[in-house]
Amino acid sequence: MTKKIDPRVKLLFVICISSLGLAFTKFSMLLAVFFIGLLISHVLKADLFMLLKRIKIMLYLFVVLVVIQSIFVRSGDSLVNLGGITILTSEGLSRGFAYLMRVLIILISGAIIATCDMRRLIQGLIQMKLPYDFAFMTSIGVKFLPLLMEELKDTLTAIQLRGIDIGKLQLKERIEIISYIFTPVFVGALSKAKKLSLSVECRGFRAFDNRTSILTLKFSPFDYLAITLTFILTATLIITNQYFI
Amino acid sequence: MLQYALEAKNLSFRYSHNSPFILKNINLKLRKGEITGIVGLSGSGKSTLIQILNGVIPKRVTGFLDGSVYLNGVDIADMELSYLARKIGTIFQDPDCQILFPCTEDEMAFGPENLCYEPYAIIERINSTAKMLAIEPLRYRNPNTVSGGEKQIIALASVLTLNVGIMIFDESMSFIDDRGKELIKNAILKLKKQGKSILMVEHDLSNLEVADHIFLLKNGTLEPFKGVIE
Ligand SMILES: Nc1ncnc2c1ncn2[C@@H]1O[C@H](COP(=O)(O)OP(=O)(O)O)[C@@H](O)[C@H]1O
Ligand SMILES: [Mg+2]
């Protein structure tokens, strides 16, 4: 069933939660949006494991952010003092959490889009009147970016397996190593993209201003229901944010 | 009726000013309805030659090219790549750099969709191509999860649905197992029967046993191959 949901419905949902995530400032509202997103991405069988792996890095960033916010935003109650300098305030903490929630909402949105079948996503974008070459580019990008990240991580692991602990190196060496890693992966990705674009053109891509399709998306009754629910949910969240919290 | 589907005259090529000539004064004629084979070591310029023949060089990949390529007697220099797509089909060396979609059928539909065929005509073409290549079981599978040989066949199928007269294979047999080779070989023989003009390029001579003529690409020059096929 999850595969059958129209990609345009998923897009609408993702646009709604990520705009709300960016617009809301109250922590409780952000938490609500986050959990709704989490719930839906679970229902859609999104790859939350990937998300979990990214959260690990996020948490590190989160701590740094909370401290920086606490030091520079001089409001809220001081929670932790270190040698006379306040390094944790309630305001810093809540801003840090808000930031964390936002990033998580964006990541969830990405995971939801990634559950779309690529051909159907492209078709969805085209039927939303986007130029077809743009639709292709973005959809292919959405699919290939995670692969690129995986490849980068694999190379990094390979280097660590050889007994080089990046964390222990000096900054200059670290940059050197990282450029060793990045360069081949990016050169590889670019060359692959170039080859792909040649093959695509040799099969007539961009021959005309439009193209036909053996696939036409039609909203099912279930899609209409999902669209309606998304609108109701979004409106409810906005109203709650405005008047009740 | 012309005798040749594709003809290259006095091709010389290098990628940049200060790099050596990859190809030196190459002449090649692809006979209509026959299988032409080119054998050459890795790095001898086989893929480069193919890209000149299908127009990718110099239209998309730049370099210094002398000489001309004629399609049915007409110079391809002034033809758009998208026009050539209706005449020459190329199966590039690496199928991973050709397959876009996670479903074979979508991949096969891609070309004719670009050329704005009617959906029913595209489906018909997919049906007949799948039948000819005996890949109906792969039709709804993900090309990224099949064997190397099957992947090559899918890459071939997605070019064949364009129904072109000239097919170029860049080392389609090189990186697959014997069963995969058998699949490709049978497919190429069927294409020949349909009257298509075929160019096969391989680094391993034993993969060219179906070829009617074989040329050797060496040190940038092309000459008829006079050896024996073991
Ligand atoms: N885009 C390019 N730019 C510069 N040099 C290239 C490029 N593509 C290939 N070459 C060089 O041209 C030579 C021939 O390559 P290629 O045509 O791929 O040979 P083959 O297909 O026979 O293995 C090689 O030395 C290769 O390094
Ligand atoms: Mg090659």
Side-chain angles (χ1 to χ4, degrees):
Chain A
M1 182 198 77
T2 55
K3 273 254 181 247
K4 290 272 153 56
I5 294 178
D6 195 294
R8 291 170 292 178
V9 178
K10 292 183 187 174
L11 266 172
L12 173 74
F13 180 78
V14 158
I15 289 170
C16 284
I17 63 166
S18 40
S19 340
L20 291 180
L22 293 178
F24 287 167
T25 48
K26 291 165 193 145
F27 179 65
S28 52
M29 290 310 293
L30 286 169
L31 203 63
V33 175
F34 167 70
F35 274 112
I36 291 166
L38 199 63
L39 182 74
I40 297 296
S41 63
H42 181 70
V43 171
L44 296 176
K45 300 200 177 65
D47 186 2
L48 292 177
F49 187 64
M50 278 282 279
L51 199 74
L52 223 65
K53 283 195 287 189
R54 280 183 209 161
I55 289 179
K56 254 171 58 187
I57 311 169
M58 294 299 310
L59 284 179
Y60 184 65
L61 213 70
F62 167 70
V63 171
V64 174
L65 238 120
V66 168
V67 172
I68 289 177
Q69 297 264 11
S70 297
I71 293 173
F72 289 99
V73 180
R74 308 258 44 143
S75 59
D77 308 323
S78 150
L79 296 180
V80 178
N81 272 296
L82 209 76
I85 303 170
T86 307
I87 60 160
L88 192 62
T89 62
S90 55
E91 180 68 15
L93 203 60
S94 77
R95 284 189 189 212
F97 266 113
Y99 173 82
L100 184 69
M101 284 301 123
R102 288 201 177 118
V103 175
L104 288 178
I105 290 166
I106 303 284
L107 288 180
I108 286 177
S109 301
I112 290 176
I113 291 300
T115 63
C116 296
D117 171 69
M118 191 172 66
R119 181 66 187 88
R120 285 166 58 85
L121 178 60
I122 291 171
Q123 191 59 24
L125 293 171
I126 291 174
Q127 287 182 221
M128 287 161 76
K129 301 281 177 268
L130 259 75
Y132 73 83
D133 46 353
F134 179 81
F136 270 87
M137 297 312 152
T138 44
S139 308
I140 291 168
V142 167
K143 280 289 165 190
F144 278 89
L145 216 59
L147 291 183
L148 189 67
M149 299 313 265
E150 282 295 294
E151 206 171 319
L152 270 177
K153 245 189 50 219
D154 289 348
T155 326
L156 199 69
T157 320
I159 288 201
Q160 277 167 343
L161 281 181
R162 271 178 225 146
I164 302 168
D165 185 354
I166 298 218
K168 282 189 184 144
L169 296 175
Q170 300 208 311
L171 187 65
K172 187 168 162 272
E173 289 172 314
R174 210 184 293 184
I175 290 175
E176 227 165 73
I177 290 262
I178 287 180
S179 67
Y180 278 146
I181 301 167
F182 274 71
T183 317
V185 174
F186 275 107
V187 168
L190 276 180
S191 128
K192 187 174 172 183
K194 173 86 186 170
K195 284 182 189 162
L196 206 57
S197 79
L198 290 178
S199 146
V200 158
E201 268 202 279
C202 286
R203 285 185 277 157
F205 192 58
R206 288 214 186 91
F208 301 105
D209 288 339
N210 36 28
R211 61 197 294 281
T212 51
S213 170
I214 57 168
L215 171 74
T216 312
L217 297 178
K218 278 205 194 85
F219 288 124
S220 67
F222 184 81
D223 290 322
Y224 283 115
L225 181 69
I227 292 172
T228 315
L229 287 179
T230 304
F231 278 126
I232 293 175
L233 189 73
T234 307
T236 313
L237 284 168
I238 291 173
I239 292 167
T240 312
N241 182 57
Q242 289 288 82
Y243 301 106
F244 296 106
I245 293 192
Chain B
M1 248 325 236
L2 282 156
Q3 203 180 352
Y4 305 112
L6 203 61
E7 187 175 356
K9 274 192 193 155
N10 306 324
L11 291 183
S12 295
F13 182 78
R14 50 182 164 172
Y15 279 103
S16 69
H17 265 312
N18 41 21
S19 69
F21 277 98
I22 307 275
L23 304 173
K24 301 171 199 156
N25 203 31
I26 300 262
N27 288 288
L28 173 67
K29 292 171 176 174
L30 284 198
R31 282 171 191 275
K32 279 190 176 161
E34 295 190 357
I35 303 176
T36 305
I38 293 181
V39 61
L41 293 176
S42 186
S44 59
K46 301 184 297 295
S47 296
T48 304
L49 177 58
I50 283 178
Q51 292 185 48
I52 296 172
L53 294 176
N54 69 15
V56 162
I57 296 175
K59 292 180 205 296
R60 291 297 178 272
V61 175
T62 51
F64 295 84
L65 175 66
D66 283 321
S68 310
V69 176
Y70 299 90
L71 171 68
N72 292 318
V74 185
D75 195 335
I76 67 166
D78 301 323
M79 298 177 189
E80 294 282 342
L81 216 49
S82 57
Y83 173 77
L84 286 171
R86 280 162 256 182
K87 306 289 175 190
I88 305 173
T90 311
I91 292 92
F92 289 93
Q93 195 165 335
D94 183 357
D96 285 330
C97 295
Q98 283 178 86
I99 291 169
L100 279 178
F101 300 106
C103 172
T104 303
E105 188 187 61
D106 290 333
E107 198 63 38
M108 291 172 72
F110 178 74
E113 284 177 342
N114 289 330
L115 299 183
C116 289
Y117 292 140
E118 293 294 333
Y120 76 89
I122 298 175
I123 297 287
E124 238 163 55
R125 185 151 292 170
I126 293 174
N127 290 341
S128 61
T129 304
K131 194 162 171 219
M132 189 199 86
L133 296 178
I135 54 165
E136 283 111 334
L138 297 178
R139 182 157 173 171
Y140 301 105
R141 299 245 339 246
N142 182 343
N144 299 306
T145 60
V146 301
S147 75
E150 289 171 330
K151 217 187 257 188
Q152 281 285 9
I153 287 275
I154 291 170
L156 165 61
S158 62
V159 173
L160 268 184
T161 46
L162 285 161
N163 201 23
V164 293
I166 302 170
M167 299 287 299
I168 301 180
F169 295 82
D170 192 351
E171 301 209 42
S172 294
M173 306 260 245
S174 290
F175 304 99
I176 54 179
D177 58 14
D178 287 341
R179 211 181 70 83
K181 282 183 192 182
E182 206 59 35
L183 286 176
I184 301 274
K185 208 164 68 185
N186 291 336
I188 288 178
L189 287 172
K190 277 188 189 158
L191 293 177
K192 182 185 171 183
K193 240 184 223 153
Q194 291 188 341
K196 298 199 190 294
S197 316
I198 294 161
L199 176 65
M200 286 177 77
V201 158
E202 291 289 337
H203 73 253
D204 186 349
L205 189 61
S206 63
N207 291 333
L208 288 176
E209 57 186 1
V210 292
D212 298 306
H213 322 269
I214 299 181
F215 296 92
L216 171 69
L217 183 62
K218 195 179 168 188
N219 302 326
T221 61
L222 195 67
E223 55 197 63
F225 182 74
K226 300 233 176 53
V228 235
I229 301 179
E230 292 106 87

